[in-house]
């Protein structure tokens, strides 16, 4: 990991648990991501799993399909909850608009989300986010009048006319 300024380095070192003194600003003292991954693998072999969050992903060690240990990534729980709250507020604010307008805006948000978080091993998290958006849309469309506007069956029929963007893995890390 490279740092442009000493201030960035001073902030990073305590975050990964490295003591910092006034005259020890050398790059060989810094734990970088590969060191953290090696620690995770060592913990995994000892049957104690460790994780760390970086760039919106929770990195963890697991077995691949062929039985080898490798680092996997999933959307950080905090980021998933934050984006779910934002979507909830967005749908609530725009529930009075036409469904086609709402779905168009939601698809823009979903596709952007999939482009960032659509990595190898993260299909479960992006699928969870998709279902969260779908449930929230159903909830707020049913609150537009005093009577229930849609059953789940009716909602699914309406979604055939105005489909939400489906989750997709856009980046294959190991290919």
């Amino acid at each position: 990991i490279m740092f442009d300024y000493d201030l960035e380095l001073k902030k990073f070192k305590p975050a990964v648990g490295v003591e910092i003194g006034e005259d020890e600003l050398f790059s060989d003292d810094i734990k970088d991501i590969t060191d953290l991954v090696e620690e995770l693998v060592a913990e995994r072999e000892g049957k104690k799993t460790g994780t760390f969050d970086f760039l919106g992903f929770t990195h963890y060690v697991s077995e691949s399909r062929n039985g080898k240990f490798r680092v996997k990534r999933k959307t950080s729980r905090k980021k998933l909850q934050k984006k779910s709250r934002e979507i909830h507020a967005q749908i609530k604010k725009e529930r009075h608009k036409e469904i086609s307008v709402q779905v168009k805006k939601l698809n823009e948000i979903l596709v952007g989300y999939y482009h960032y978080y659509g990595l190898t091993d993260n299909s479960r998290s992006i699928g969870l986010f998709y279902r969260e958006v779908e449930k929230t849309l159903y909830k707020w469309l049913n609150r537009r009048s005093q009577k229930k506007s849609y059953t789940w069956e009716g909602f699914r029929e309406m979604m055939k006319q105005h489909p939400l963007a489906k989750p997709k893995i856009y980046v294959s890390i190991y290919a």
Side-chain angles (χ1 to χ4, degrees):
I1 297 175
M2 302 291 289
F3 298 96
D4 291 333
Y5 303 102
D6 287 345
L7 181 61
E8 290 177 351
L9 177 66
K10 287 179 182 179
K11 286 181 183 177
F12 180 77
K13 280 185 151 185
V16 294
V18 175
E19 294 290 325
I20 197 165
E22 286 301 314
D23 48 347
E24 56 177 50
L25 293 177
F26 299 103
S27 61
D28 57 348
D29 292 335
I30 300 171
K31 282 187 173 182
D32 61 3
I33 297 302
T34 55
D35 291 338
L36 292 171
V37 170
E38 287 173 6
E39 285 181 19
L40 289 176
V41 171
E43 289 176 9
R44 175 66 185 213
E45 289 171 352
K47 302 298 182 217
K48 178 182 172 188
T49 59
T51 63
F52 66 93
D53 286 355
F54 186 67
L55 297 175
F57 293 95
T58 299
H59 300 264
Y60 62 100
V61 175
S62 184
E63 286 186 30
S64 64
R65 290 182 184 177
N66 60 7
K68 294 183 179 180
F69 287 112
R70 69 178 174 100
V71 178
K72 293 186 176 185
R73 291 152 196 86
K74 63 183 178 180
T75 307
S76 171
R77 192 172 136 243
K78 290 190 284 186
K79 298 292 183 181
L80 183 62
Q81 289 175 344
K82 181 181 178 198
K83 195 64 175 177
S84 294
R85 284 191 301 271
E86 289 173 8
I87 286 286
H88 186 86
Q90 169 89 24
I91 294 172
K92 181 180 178 180
K93 184 178 85 175
E94 297 187 2
R95 69 181 181 259
H96 64 281
K97 294 183 178 177
E98 286 186 35
I99 293 171
S100 60
V101 173
Q102 290 182 54
V103 170
K104 183 179 178 193
K105 178 66 176 169
L106 287 174
N107 280 338
E108 291 172 1
I109 294 169
L110 284 169
V111 168
Y113 187 86
Y114 300 154
H115 275 280
Y116 186 80
Y117 290 104
L119 296 178
T120 306
D121 303 321
N122 198 28
S123 57
R124 181 179 289 167
S125 292
I126 62 174
L128 181 66
F129 182 68
Y130 172 82
R131 287 186 295 282
E132 191 67 31
V133 169
E134 194 177 45
K135 286 189 325 190
T136 304
L137 183 61
Y138 173 78
K139 172 185 174 177
W140 286 108
L141 288 178
N142 274 322
R143 293 187 176 202
R144 298 200 300 181
S145 67
Q146 286 77 23
K147 64 177 188 162
K148 193 171 185 177
S149 301
Y150 293 102
T151 62
W152 272 107
E153 188 177 296
F155 179 75
R156 298 258 186 242
E157 285 297 316
M158 183 273 302
M159 293 307 289
K160 288 179 184 174
Q161 300 295 319
H162 307 283
L164 288 173
K166 298 285 186 200
K168 181 179 175 185
I169 300 297
Y170 282 92
V171 179
S172 178
I173 296 175
Y174 302 103

